[in-house]
Amino acid sequence: MARFDAYFLMKPADAAEYAKEKLAFFDDGADLQFTEIGDGNLNFIFRIVDRRGGRSVVIKQAGHTARISDQFKLSLDRNRIEYDILKLERELAPGLVPEVYGYDPIMSCCAMEDLSDHAIMRRGLLERRRYPLFAEHITTFMANTLLLTSDAVLDHKRKKALVGDFINPDLCEITEDLVYTEPFDDLKARNLPFGPNLEFIQRELYGDEALRLETAKLKFDFLTNAQCLVHGDLHTGSIFVLPDSTKVIDPEFAFYGPAGYDVGNVVANLVFAWVNADTTMPAGRERDAFSGWVARTLEEVVDLFKAKWRKLWDEKVTEPVARYPGFAEWYLDGVLRDTAGVTGLELCRRIVGIAQVKDITSIADPAKRVRAERLCLTLAKRCILERGQVRSGRDYLDLLGWAAARYPRGEA
Ligand code: SR1
Ligand code: MG
């Protein structure tokens, strides 16, 4: 049997051989350097570079279980979904998605553009780098990919075919459990609450029946609202950035779901960046400048998204009833309500659940981490409970200011 005719989990040297033999990406004289560069929760990512010519490629391979824990058994089909979505998103949002070179259903891997000149946005933000075009880019990505795949724009049979192509039960189940259920009821005992906040979490999340009821409603929205093709995991670890470039990666959680799922993920992860800076940077001009930039970016993400969505609606909607006066506003209101709800859910699950974020876990001083987590969770609860009223960038900043004032830094 030839080398790559049956599935096996590759090591870096195998991936280099694969790139040469199967992809024919490098010529025979290539001097290949290969490393596994993935630090995500699910897959293996190999970067292969020709030291002679500088040509490089990234190969992403799916395993049968998640890297973070083998409790998660996952279909290898997620790699096909990722490849197909990257191609589609690249058409819908040119310049904002990496180029893909090929997909191999036997090895469950796909090859794509090497973006090593970019930084993973979460890391960049933790190094206090600013990305002045991010809000502009990500709102174009979201408005285009979300609205243009919805029933408002697509022929309904085409849309239903896409719903079928992107049925993603295993990865949706992860989100259903980790985002919508476990932060509010540790049913599978997988949560990893920070010890000094355990009682706070038990009281404020597990013990708050009104909150749990709202999370149940949001979960059913996620389960049943096939509104548009969502990325499904649009946090700052799924975005590569440079000051003048944004590339969205890792859409393996994509499926037909509520548009607010993506927007809420972006907003929540900007909140984490703000809270990390506010908690760990010494008081002074640098902190004010960085936190101010993050806050303005968050505000712009919400407001630009709304403006672009509304403009695109007028330009692209084909469904006649969607043009009735008042319908566009009603539809967008629903997306914004879901956005606020998901912002709250993402804030909770990244603090309480198994898949946490460095913005919080890297806070070394326990008292500061306690404060940062409580600030986020308190803000999250208002986003969920009052989601109908959180509609603009200003509304988020007001809530953030309110939550920060409840937990003063205690600086001299
Ligand atoms: C078991 S996977 C845990 C998390 O990692 C992914 O990036 C998603 O955010 C998922 O919820
Ligand atoms: Mg990912």
Side-chain angles (χ1 to χ4, degrees):
M1 188 186 287
R3 179 93 165 91
F4 299 104
D5 282 1
Y7 175 84
F8 69 97
L9 217 43
M10 290 190 280
K11 297 269 181 276
D14 302 316
E17 211 177 311
Y18 181 92
K20 230 171 162 171
E21 278 180 26
K22 291 287 280 190
L23 298 176
F25 194 84
F26 299 104
D27 58 43
D28 285 344
D31 176 15
L32 296 185
Q33 185 182 34
F34 35 83
T35 32
E36 206 279 310
I37 55 169
D39 64 354
N41 294 326
L42 296 184
N43 304 295
F44 298 88
I45 323 270
F46 305 99
R47 178 170 184 253
I48 300 124
V49 189
D50 180 358
R51 269 185 285 228
R52 271 180 351 167
R55 212 161 175 240
S56 60
V57 66
V58 161
I59 296 175
K60 179 166 181 176
Q61 189 182 31
H64 287 285
T65 58
R67 285 178 84 156
I68 190 175
S69 157
D70 58 14
Q71 274 185 41
F72 298 95
K73 315 267 181 260
L74 304 170
S75 155
L76 298 178
D77 189 45
R78 67 186 189 274
N79 203 267
R80 189 264 313 165
I81 289 185
E82 172 152 6
Y83 175 72
D84 285 346
I85 299 268
L86 282 170
K87 276 195 303 185
L88 185 58
E89 286 176 341
R90 203 170 144 81
E91 281 167 29
L92 297 171
L96 299 173
V97 178
E99 189 178 347
V100 278
Y101 304 137
Y103 162 64
D104 178 342
I106 293 171
M107 292 299 291
S108 290
C109 66
C110 58
M112 65 186 87
E113 184 181 355
D114 176 20
L115 292 170
S116 315
D117 57 334
H118 289 58
I120 285 289
M121 187 170 183
R122 192 183 306 285
R123 279 188 223 146
L125 292 172
L126 288 172
E127 291 167 8
R128 312 304 176 211
R129 297 190 197 286
R130 296 184 219 174
Y131 302 100
L133 295 182
F134 173 71
E136 185 65 43
H137 289 162
I138 202 69
T139 50
T140 298
F141 175 85
M142 293 191 295
N144 289 12
T145 58
L146 300 174
L147 182 52
L148 300 181
T149 58
S150 74
D151 278 303
V153 174
L154 280 188
D155 166 77
H156 302 326
K157 286 186 180 160
R158 163 86 180 125
K159 184 254 182 170
K160 286 180 178 69
L162 285 173
V163 173
D165 288 346
F166 296 116
I167 292 282
N168 199 352
D170 287 354
L171 277 73
C172 282
E173 183 180 55
I174 291 180
T175 305
E176 289 151 24
D177 289 346
L178 296 193
V179 179
Y180 289 87
T181 307
E182 294 175 26
F184 310 97
D185 194 338
D186 192 10
L187 287 176
K188 295 192 179 167
R190 282 195 292 225
N191 286 344
L192 297 171
F194 184 49
N197 267 338
L198 180 59
E199 266 180 48
F200 182 90
I201 288 163
Q202 283 170 335
R203 184 180 70 246
E204 294 293 327
L205 301 191
Y206 306 163
D208 187 334
E209 285 306 329
L211 179 74
R212 281 154 47 90
L213 173 59
E214 296 312 311
T215 65
K217 293 177 192 171
L218 284 161
K219 182 169 182 179
F220 270 71
D221 189 47
F222 183 84
L223 287 164
T224 59
N225 182 5
Q227 188 172 40
C228 56
L229 190 54
V230 299
H231 175 285
D233 199 24
L234 196 51
H235 57 88
T236 48
S238 297
I239 304 172
F240 267 124
V241 274
L242 282 173
D244 60 352
S245 171
T246 303
K247 303 274 185 189
V248 174
I249 59 165
D250 270 7
E252 65 206 315
F253 282 78
F255 79 114
Y256 259 83
Y261 193 77
D262 282 356
V263 192
N265 263 275
V266 174
V267 172
N269 282 276
L270 288 171
V271 170
F272 282 131
W274 187 92
V275 171
N276 180 280
D278 185 67
T279 307
T280 62
M281 289 179 82
R285 281 180 33 204
E286 265 184 50
R287 181 174 74 194
D288 294 346
F290 184 75
S291 304
W293 173 77
V294 176
R296 277 194 303 285
T297 301
L298 193 164
E299 187 176 18
E300 280 172 24
V301 163
V302 177
D303 295 340
L304 282 175
F305 171 74
K306 284 168 66 177
K308 288 182 186 180
W309 175 285
R310 195 63 194 75
K311 184 164 178 287
L312 208 55
W313 185 282
D314 287 341
E315 291 166 2
K316 299 283 186 188
V317 160
T318 61
E319 163 57 52
V321 308
R323 293 222 173 250
Y324 291 174
F327 187 81
E329 289 69 26
W330 172 83
Y331 193 103
L332 183 56
D333 269 2
V335 173
L336 296 172
R337 193 181 53 240
D338 291 344
T339 296
V342 171
T343 298
L345 293 164
E346 173 75 359
L347 286 169
C348 292
R349 73 94 162 212
R350 296 288 186 190
I351 287 174
V352 177
I354 189 176
Q356 307 201 337
V357 285
K358 282 244 159 43
D359 314 54
I360 298 297
T361 57
S362 67
I363 301 173
D365 177 333
K368 288 185 177 174
R369 179 162 169 186
V370 163
R371 174 206 174 242
E373 291 193 356
R374 290 185 187 191
L375 193 168
C376 290
L377 295 174
T378 305
L379 168 63
K381 287 183 69 170
R382 284 197 65 187
C383 288
I384 294 169
L385 291 167
E386 298 167 34
R387 59 191 181 283
Q389 281 89 58
V390 189
R391 302 151 57 91
S392 67
R394 187 69 253 165
D395 291 342
Y396 282 96
L397 295 192
D398 287 347
L399 281 181
L400 186 55
W402 168 85
R406 283 198 60 173
Y407 297 100
R409 280 191 217 96
E411 284 163 358

